Amino acid sequence: MTDAEDRKPQSDEARMAFTPPAGVEVGDSESETTSEFALPVGLDVPHPTGAESEGSAFVPPSTYSAREAPAFTPATGIPAVSLTKDAPWQDRMRTMLRMPVTERPAPEPVQKAEEGGPAVPRVLDLTLRIGELLLAGGEGAEDVEAAMFAVCRSYGLDRCEPNVTFTLLSISYQPSLVDDPVSAARTVRRRGTDYTRLAAVFQLVDDLSDPETQISLEEAYRRLAEIRRNRHPYPTWVLTSASGLLAGAASVLVGGDLIVFVAAALGAMLGDRLAWLCAGRGLPEFYQFTVAAMPPAAIGVALTVAHVDVAASAVITGGLFALLPGRALVAGVQDGLTGFYITAAARLLEVLYFFVGIVVGVLVVLYFGVQLGAQLNPDAALGSREQPLVQIGASMLLSLTFAVLLQQERSTVLAVTLNGGVAWVVYGAMHYAGDLSPVASTAVAAGLVGLFGQLMSRYRYASALPYTTAAIGPLLPGSATYFGLLAIAQNDVDGGLGSLTKAAALAMAIAIGVNLGSEVSRMFLRGAGRGRKAAKRTRGF
């Protein structure tokens, strides 16, 4: 063998950088290898006795003392927060949602578990479908999250986190810290106003939340399918008639007589039919509102051009009442006040688009009316003699017809009609008799509406919307909206913007008053606000 062959490496080890050079002796044990983690020679370290003699992250250090240790979560869990069982499930679930996950009460035993309990994805799917119906029906984001949380808890899924935005619902469930979370989402494509369906969904959630009621997952799906298939309680011709009566009652509120009542009713019914025609052709709601606002304005302008001695402004104002999106406005402001700012912004943007659609429809008609020589007097509807009894009757009729348009249950129509009459009495007493500002009077009247709605919802364990939305109908700023549009059409932009600003202030007063009345009822009623965590003060940062 040559010298070159002796110098040739015989294996991969000969080429390794860690191969010791010739002449250096290395011990046979790996423990003798020098390492930066090796202990110096002569240093004795006490080794813990027991199963884990090697160093372990789960072995407490020798300096640990249980007496001097900081506070930690006990093995039995954090003491449960006292939740009054007499309180509605909305308040109990809202209390749970406003707590951090680590502070929520310990999981309750599964009430409706069959063999091993229902599948988690199916429970999440049922929860999303229920939340979709509530959100599409106009319910506030916080109430939708409370309902979703209640459904999950009824099937033993306590570690769930619902999340609601304007068009998207999502929910996540994680059984424990070491298990993978399960998430599901659902998009809300269409919205429809049907408070009868909304009340049925609330009843389903209430039954699921009752520990004495045993409802299987299949039974819950069956009831939800029945709710979806239910027909509206009122036919189309009743809705069209209610739209006309609402416009006529609103025209009486602003000083109209019998002729104005009939003219406003005809204009509103014609606009309702045109809007249904546009909806059947698939046009967006913006154009539906634009088309629906044109007939009442056209009838008012036609009466003025024909020199008929009527208050044409009252005709147009009455026609606008049936179109003002009061329901969406209240829901948007409520979401903003409860911390759901993204959903609130989306709802208010929707209201803005609807309002712009109404503005476009009325301004087009008023512009052509002014060109034809129509002399529209902005003070015509406000210069009439006050008739308290007639206006109270008109306000109750307006609330009644508004409830029919919202597809409310027949059992709630009488209550909301009386609530609307009381709201107008309070407003009239403060504004006309007490000579207070219309914004303050509107806010107080709307606050009473919200308080009464919460009382009725607690008595019946139902949603408060059917008892509040229709009752605020007489307070909607229809006349301020019309006078602002009329001033703009007559080239008085400053006056028009001032009137529209007043209309926006009245609308905000209605929404804030309704929400404040609801919060007052939760704060002071027995068992309503106990344990309900509020948001911490942030000072804006």
Side-chain angles (χ1 to χ4, degrees):
M1 182 179 295
T2 62
D3 295 339
E5 291 178 347
D6 292 338
R7 292 192 300 269
K8 182 179 181 180
Q10 301 298 325
S11 65
D12 291 340
E13 293 183 358
R15 293 194 300 267
M16 291 179 60
F18 298 100
T19 303
V24 178
E25 297 182 357
V26 181
D28 297 333
S29 174
E30 292 183 0
S31 60
E32 296 181 4
T33 304
T34 303
S35 171
E36 62 184 36
F37 298 103
L39 297 175
V41 180
L43 178 62
D44 295 331
V45 179
H47 296 281
T49 59
E52 299 184 6
S53 57
E54 304 287 339
S56 174
F58 298 98
V59 177
S62 58
T63 58
Y64 175 81
S65 175
R67 291 181 177 272
E68 300 178 359
F72 63 99
T73 303
T76 56
I78 298 176
V81 178
S82 176
L83 296 177
T84 306
K85 294 183 179 180
D86 296 335
W89 62 264
Q90 297 98 310
D91 288 324
R92 290 188 280 116
M93 296 303 106
R94 187 180 289 108
T95 300
M96 298 285 290
L97 281 174
R98 291 192 175 186
M99 295 180 187
V101 178
T102 56
E103 297 181 8
R104 289 177 183 171
E108 299 177 357
V110 179
Q111 301 291 338
K112 304 169 183 61
E114 295 157 2
E115 296 180 2
V120 172
R122 296 199 66 199
V123 175
L124 298 184
D125 178 71
L126 174 67
T127 303
L128 290 174
R129 291 178 183 273
I130 290 178
E132 178 190 11
L133 287 180
L134 293 176
L135 186 62
E139 195 64 65
E142 187 178 34
D143 293 327
V144 175
E145 284 194 0
M148 295 172 64
F149 193 69
V151 174
C152 285
R153 281 178 60 87
S154 65
Y155 289 103
L157 307 186
D158 298 271
R159 298 176 180 270
C160 65
E161 284 296 329
N163 186 23
V164 174
T165 58
F166 185 57
T167 58
L168 180 65
L169 299 97
S170 62
I171 189 167
S172 177
Y173 170 70
Q174 188 173 14
S176 66
L177 295 178
V178 298
D179 293 327
D180 295 331
V182 181
S183 300
R186 193 172 183 87
T187 303
V188 179
R189 300 292 184 185
R190 298 181 59 185
R191 290 176 175 80
T193 304
D194 190 343
Y195 282 2
T196 300
R197 178 180 296 174
L198 188 69
V201 176
F202 260 77
Q203 184 61 47
L204 174 60
V205 178
D206 184 52
D207 293 341
L208 290 173
S209 303
D210 190 358
E212 299 179 359
T213 304
Q214 301 293 330
I215 299 179
S216 64
L217 192 63
E218 298 299 332
E219 176 67 15
Y221 266 109
R222 185 191 63 81
R223 289 182 56 178
L224 187 62
E226 289 182 354
I227 293 173
R228 287 181 174 273
R229 289 195 301 264
N230 281 346
R231 297 175 59 88
H232 297 310
Y234 306 104
T236 303
W237 67 270
V238 173
L239 299 179
T240 301
S241 301
S243 178
L245 292 176
L246 189 152
S251 66
V252 173
L253 283 180
V254 294
D257 52 12
L258 182 59
I259 299 178
V260 171
F261 180 94
V262 175
L266 290 177
M269 288 190 291
L270 181 58
D272 181 76
R273 287 292 86 198
L274 289 177
W276 276 104
L277 181 62
C278 294
R281 296 297 185 271
L283 288 179
E285 286 185 293
F286 175 86
Y287 302 105
Q288 297 176 28
F289 275 81
T290 301
V291 172
M294 289 183 176
I299 291 180
V301 171
L303 292 175
T304 303
V305 173
H307 302 289
V308 180
D309 189 15
V310 296
S313 299
V315 176
I316 302 176
T317 300
L320 294 180
F321 264 83
L323 302 176
L324 295 177
R327 173 182 58 87
L329 175 66
V330 172
V333 175
Q334 179 182 356
D335 288 340
L337 294 176
T338 53
F340 293 83
Y341 301 114
I342 296 178
T343 307
R347 288 186 188 272
L348 294 178
L349 185 61
E350 181 188 41
V351 172
L352 178 62
Y353 270 100
F354 291 163
F355 188 77
V356 171
I358 298 172
V359 168
V360 171
V362 175
L363 278 181
V364 169
V365 176
L366 291 181
Y367 176 78
F368 284 105
V370 171
Q371 298 301 318
L372 293 175
Q375 299 296 326
L376 297 172
N377 184 10
D379 299 326
L382 300 180
S384 60
R385 181 173 55 88
E386 296 179 8
Q387 298 174 334
L389 295 180
V390 175
Q391 290 184 338
I392 292 174
S395 65
M396 297 178 66
L397 178 60
L398 193 153
S399 298
L400 172 65
T401 53
F402 203 173
V404 173
L405 289 176
L406 293 174
Q407 302 281 359
Q408 292 189 196
E409 292 179 302
R410 291 178 173 85
S411 58
T412 64
V413 171
L414 178 60
V416 74
T417 300
L418 296 176
N419 197 13
V422 172
W424 182 259
V425 169
V426 173
Y427 171 79
M430 295 183 65
H431 178 55
Y432 295 116
D435 198 20
L436 296 178
S437 68
V439 176
S441 304
T442 300
V444 173
L448 291 178
V449 168
L451 179 61
F452 178 77
Q454 281 295 324
L455 291 175
M456 291 300 298
S457 67
R458 294 179 184 283
Y459 175 72
R460 297 193 176 186
Y461 289 87
S463 173
L465 288 181
Y467 302 100
T468 58
T469 305
I472 65 174
L475 305 176
L476 292 176
S479 58
T481 302
Y482 163 70
F483 292 141
L485 300 180
L486 178 60
I488 294 177
Q490 294 177 344
N491 294 325
D492 185 8
V493 179
D494 293 337
L497 292 179
S499 186
L500 291 179
T501 303
K502 178 183 176 182
L506 291 174
M508 292 295 294
I510 293 173
I512 295 176
V514 170
N515 181 264
L516 183 60
S518 302
E519 294 296 330
V520 167
S521 67
R522 296 193 184 106
M523 186 182 302
F524 294 105
L525 289 180
R526 182 180 65 86
R530 187 177 302 173
R532 182 172 184 260
K533 299 291 185 180
K536 292 184 178 180
R537 186 181 183 188
T538 61
R539 299 181 183 273
F541 52 81

